[in-house]
Each structure stands twice: as structure tokens, then as C-alpha cells.
Amino acid sequence: MIRYRIELKTAPADFRFPTTNQTRHCFTRYIEFHRCLAAKGEESNQCEKFAKYYRSLCPGEWIDKWNEQRENGTFPGPL
């Protein structure tokens, strides 16, 4: 049996979000990821760090909802 070591990390501290409530931090990282994809393309690995950040900060239900809203053109954020 092969065992893989998975290293879990969260997003680094960000001076823009000094409080313990990370809701805005989560939302900002989600937007940064999608802006990066739009600017650099789907094939770019440069955006992966933003994906890791928002996935570690945001609840899955929020991500699913935001993805659905983006697909429907109703996402409330600036992409």
C-alpha cells in the first residue's frame, strides 16, 4: 500500500484582514483567483496559489454558490 503525505496549509496572514473573521479574506481570495485566471488564462499555474488560499478559507457551500452565480452571470463581486 502506497501512502502519500498531504501537507495542509492555509492562506498566509494578510494585513488587510487583521480580525479573526475571515469572511472578507475568503471572498477577496476567491475574486483574486478568478481575476488571475482571466488575466493569465486557464492554463497558467501562477493562479494556483490563489486557489489554495480561497479553498482553505472558504466553506465549500459558499464556493459552490459563487461558482453557480458566476455561471449564471449573477455573481455579486467584481471579476
Side-chain angles (χ1 to χ4, degrees):
M1 182 163 115
I2 298 174
R3 293 187 181 201
Y4 296 97
R5 182 172 179 206
I6 298 173
E7 185 176 344
L8 300 176
K9 292 183 180 181
T10 189
D14 191 321
F15 71 91
R16 297 174 294 177
F17 310 102
T19 63
T20 57
N21 184 343
Q22 294 296 303
T23 302
R24 183 172 287 180
H25 191 182
C26 153
F27 189 70
T28 299
R29 294 300 190 172
Y30 181 85
I31 290 172
E32 287 174 337
F33 170 69
H34 289 286
R35 284 183 177 169
C36 182
L37 286 182
K40 303 198 183 288
E42 296 276 336
E43 301 300 318
S44 175
N45 291 334
Q46 296 175 357
C47 303
E48 191 57 33
K49 68 179 180 181
F50 296 117
K52 289 179 184 177
Y53 296 165
Y54 88 76
R55 289 178 185 142
S56 72
L57 291 166
C58 303
E61 296 83 16
W62 294 5
I63 295 169
D64 292 343
K65 181 178 179 181
W66 293 338
N67 287 338
E68 184 178 316
Q69 288 174 332
R70 281 187 318 99
E71 290 171 9
N72 295 332
T74 59
F75 184 72
L79 296 176

